[in-house]
Amino acid sequence: MQRPDYRSTYQAHFERMIAEHGYERALELVVGDRFAEIGQLEKSALIQLGLRPEHCLVDVGTGSGRLPRSLVDYLTGTFIGTDVITGPLREAEKACARRDWEFHVTTDCVIPTPDQHADFVSFFSVFTHLLDEDIYRFLREARRVLKPDGRVVFSFLDFANARHWELFEITVADTRLDRVLNRITSPEILRRFAHNLGFVVTAVHDGMENWIQLPPAPAGASPDNPRQPPAALGQSVMVLQTFPEASYLDRHPDVRIAIDAGTFTSGAHHYEQCGYREGRPLG
């Protein structure tokens, strides 16, 4: 089986967008519609999940920069963005105008960052277009570059979601050889990848779930409802964290007893099976 050429496929997709909509609009459409709105949703989701201003964030699949553009006034720490095509990424770099931020064109499933360097690694609308083995390779890279208490946040398309299934049916009908790959998967497969790499799944949000807390409503909004209601991203989201095995077992001695009895294989196994539902702290 020939591996997809992600770079040439996306470059051709970008050029089609330019021909149909013009350059400026193509910069938005190449990463999906609702450019600014989705960027703000991604920003709000990361902050809700623990991203702090001083953190280092690695963002794979930055594209034309809907996420970093939304973070310019928030993130004082390092941003490291990667993508497979040059044009949109350079536009993102120019728009952000942050000399302390990095933007890298990559050609493989690699993250050009030292070991244990990042607090967060994000993949928004990336695993939705990769083969399973490349998803796994990227998660392995994320494991390498994360700090011990870091987190991975990624979006995905889920067969169990009715709207994602509609996209699958559209994909089935599209027989073009040069189309962008659409990958629909399941949380069970992604959990297996995470478990094999030493991650624990700390959250899964369905694409239609209104879980993202938005900032206060803009000036002029109704004083009776100063906050905006929670919003959905559209794609499902999974959050991973490197599991603190030793501290978890120290904090929960009953789990160690259960492991010795053969009920669980590890603290991570216990947490995934029941610990997170019980609300047990990780460490």
Side-chain angles (χ1 to χ4, degrees):
M1 176 182 173
Q2 185 175 359
R3 187 181 177 198
D5 185 340
Y6 300 120
R7 170 178 272 186
S8 64
T9 300
Y10 256 96
Q11 184 63 42
H13 176 62
F14 181 45
E15 291 172 0
R16 282 196 297 270
M17 293 295 100
I18 294 173
E20 294 174 10
H21 304 281
Y23 185 73
E24 294 300 324
R25 181 63 174 143
L27 287 172
E28 298 181 349
L29 292 175
V30 73
V31 293
D33 210 352
R34 300 163 57 205
F35 185 87
E37 179 186 352
I38 296 296
Q40 288 297 322
L41 285 172
E42 293 172 352
K43 170 188 175 181
S44 296
L46 290 176
I47 293 173
Q48 183 174 330
L49 293 169
L51 181 70
R52 298 199 300 267
E54 70 274 15
H55 274 165
C56 171
L57 167 64
V58 171
D59 179 52
V60 177
T62 299
S64 47
R66 65 185 176 189
L67 175 59
R69 292 181 198 223
S70 73
L71 286 168
V72 165
D73 295 329
Y74 176 82
L75 191 67
T76 58
T78 305
F79 177 90
I80 302 167
T82 75
D83 208 275
V84 295
I85 58 175
T86 303
L89 192 66
R90 293 297 166 240
E91 293 292 342
E93 183 176 20
K94 183 168 62 175
C96 292
R98 286 283 298 269
R99 300 186 65 167
D100 56 326
W101 287 8
E102 302 176 22
F103 296 82
H104 301 279
V105 176
T106 57
T107 58
D108 210 342
C109 301
V110 297
I111 298 174
T113 307
D115 295 357
Q116 297 188 10
H117 186 72
D119 297 286
F120 272 74
V121 180
S122 61
F123 302 86
F124 288 111
S125 299
V126 175
F127 293 174
T128 52
H129 302 295
L130 297 181
L131 296 176
D132 284 342
E133 50 266 42
D134 289 330
I135 293 173
Y136 190 85
R137 290 182 180 110
F138 263 130
L139 286 176
R140 185 172 60 195
E141 271 288 272
R143 179 76 168 79
R144 178 186 65 79
V145 306
L146 268 186
K147 294 177 182 178
D149 58 348
R151 294 177 182 175
V152 179
V153 181
F154 62 85
S155 65
F156 66 99
L157 298 170
D158 185 356
F159 276 118
N161 183 295
R163 293 189 182 178
H164 299 173
W165 180 263
E166 291 175 5
L167 176 60
F168 177 69
E169 291 185 326
I170 293 171
T171 302
V172 169
D174 187 350
T175 58
R176 292 176 301 149
L177 297 178
D178 63 343
R179 67 171 175 81
V180 172
L181 175 70
N182 289 322
R183 170 64 69 198
I184 294 86
T185 184
S186 70
E188 291 74 22
I189 291 172
L190 298 169
R191 282 183 183 274
R192 179 62 182 270
F193 289 176
H195 179 75
N196 281 14
L197 291 167
F199 286 116
V200 62
V201 178
T202 59
V204 180
H205 297 283
D206 182 77
M208 299 301 108
E209 177 188 349
N210 293 318
W211 67 277
I212 302 174
Q213 299 293 330
L214 297 173
S222 169
D224 297 329
N225 186 23
R227 295 196 63 83
Q228 301 183 72
L233 184 64
Q235 294 182 7
S236 298
V237 171
M238 183 173 284
V239 184
L240 311 180
Q241 185 172 341
T242 304
F243 190 76
E245 185 76 19
S247 59
Y248 187 76
L249 295 181
D250 287 343
R251 183 156 189 167
H252 307 291
D254 60 311
V255 177
R256 191 185 297 275
I257 293 171
I259 293 171
D260 292 341
T263 307
F264 301 100
T265 60
S266 64
H269 183 212
H270 173 273
Y271 184 82
E272 287 198 340
Q273 292 297 311
C274 54
Y276 78 95
R277 287 195 296 268
E278 297 170 358
R280 296 199 186 212
L282 288 176

